[in-house]
Structure formats: structure tokens, C-alpha cells
């Protein structure tokens, strides 16, 4: 028996097409629930803040930080040789963006602070010191077929030693609370 799908009544209904323009896609919030730190810590006002440090909470955040949030003039960091959070340091003053003339001194403290955070939010958090890789976001690429959050670095700026014990106190307390809360999970 041959079945022809034509204009007869026995044919399955086709999906109805929408008339008019396609609905707009939801805008991606570029700072969606990332851990956000301001450098220098304890700045008296927003005018004193020179850098914003964003830290991914999961693979999806890491992916967005690496490919959508990080722009030219920012610096991307990750603990070397261990799984962990991706960190992006954004400079508030665009004339002092990474790579501009005489910016090294301006960035030194912010990069050390961000390296400490990258070490703390990685599997190296129990080590005394951890190597942290620095790169410009434009040199971060996603390998074909790689899982969410996996990246490859085309060109490194260098490495910095991060000390996971030099992070703000609220980070340590939040981590301890999370660990205590997860021990009863499923009980």
C-alpha cells in the first residue's frame, strides 16, 4: 500500500509556521551570577576600584567568561594542570588595558589577587602555592567537540604563582559552609 502525503485529510498536520518576525532571543547577561571581586579590596568608593575580577562558578560560567565576557584588554587566568574556575580580570580604565604602554605596574597587584582566586577555586586549593596561567581572551579557543568549559590556549602571557590561602575571608567561609552543607545532602 502506498501512502501519499498530499492535500488530503488523512495527512498528519504540519507544524504551523509563525507569521511575522522571529521572536528575539533572550539576551545573555554577561555577568550572570559570577563571583565578582573588586580590586583593590576595601576600596572606599567606586572611583578607587581599578579592576573587576570575575570567577566562574561552573562549566557554563567558565565557557561564557572565556568566550563572551573576556574582551581585548582583559586578562584570563586558570590554575595550571588542574580543573578549576576560569577567571577574567577587567580593567575599569580602558587607557590602562592590558598591553597598553606602562600597564605592568598598574596590573601587578590585580593579577596576583586574581591568581590567588584562581588557585583557591581549583583542585589546587590545598597546596601552598599553585601555578596560574595568564592569557589574553582572544588566545583562548574551544577545541572541536570538547565538553562545556574545556579550552585550549594558543598563546600564554606567562604564569603567576597563586596562594590559595591569601583570598578574602568570606571566600573561605563560604567554601566551608558549602562543604558542611553538602555532607548532609542525600541523608
Amino acid at each position: 500500500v502506498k501512502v501519499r502525503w498530499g492535500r488530503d485529510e488523512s495527512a498528519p498536520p504540519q507544524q504551523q509556521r509563525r507569521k511575522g518576525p522571529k521572536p528575539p532571543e533572550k539576551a545573555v547577561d554577561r555577568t550572570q551570577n559570577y563571583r565578582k571581586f573588586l580590586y583593590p579590596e576595601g576600596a572606599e568608593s567606586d572611583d578607587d576600584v581599578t579592576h573587576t575580577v570575575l570567577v566562574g562558578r561552573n562549566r557554563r560560567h567558565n565557557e561564557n567568561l572565556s568566550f563572551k565576557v573576556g574582551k581585548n584588554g582583559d586578562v584570563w587566568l586558570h590554575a595550571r594542570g588542574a580543573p578549576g574556575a576560569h577567571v577574567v580580570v577587567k580593567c575599569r580604565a580602558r587607557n590602562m588595558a592590558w598591553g597598553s604602554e606602562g600597564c605592568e605596574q598598574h596590573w601587578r597587584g590585580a593579577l596576583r589577587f586574581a591568581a590567588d582566586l584562581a588557585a583557591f577555586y581549583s583542585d589546587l586549593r590545598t597546596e601552598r602555592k599553585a601555578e596560574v596561567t595568564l592569557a589574553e581572551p582572544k588566545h583562548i579557543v574551544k577545541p572541536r567537540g570538547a565538553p562545556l568549559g574545556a579550552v585550549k590556549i594558543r598563546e600564554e602571557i606567562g604564569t603567576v604563582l597563586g596562594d590559595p590561602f591569601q583570598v578574602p575571608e568570606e571566600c573561605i567561609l563560604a567554601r566551608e559552609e558549602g562543604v558542611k552543607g553538602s555532607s548532609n545532602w542525600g541523608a
Side-chain angles (χ1 to χ4, degrees), residues 5 15 22 48 74 87 91 116 118 126 132 136-137 151-152 161 174-175 178:
W5 302 107
Q15 291 180 344
K22 197 172 161 183
D48 297 336
D74 299 338
V87 178
C91 182
D116 294 344
T126 58
V132 176
E136 292 181 65
V151 297
K152 182 178 175 184
L161 282 179
R175 166 78 65 189

Side-chain angles (χ1 to χ4, degrees), residues 8-89:
D8 62 349
E9 306 301 317
S10 63
Q14 292 183 353
Q15 291 180 344
Q16 294 212 345
R17 292 188 181 177
R18 285 187 181 196
K19 305 261 182 187
K22 197 172 161 183
E25 292 183 19
K26 291 182 181 177
V28 175
D29 182 9
R30 302 256 190 247
T31 59
Q32 56 176 348
N33 295 327
Y34 301 120
R35 292 180 184 99
K36 182 177 179 181
F37 301 91
L38 302 177
Y39 182 85
E41 292 179 89
E44 297 297 320
S45 69
D46 272 355
D47 297 337
D48 297 336
V49 174
T50 57
H51 295 84
T52 302
V53 181
L54 300 172
V55 181
R57 292 180 180 268
N58 54 41
R59 289 177 177 226
R60 186 172 313 285
H61 283 175
N62 288 345
E63 183 96 3
N64 286 335
L65 270 176
S66 299
F67 300 115
K68 293 181 181 168
V69 176
K71 302 289 181 208
N72 285 341
D74 299 338
V75 177
W76 178 92
L77 296 92
H78 190 277
R80 179 175 276 201
H86 296 198
V87 178
V88 171
V89 182

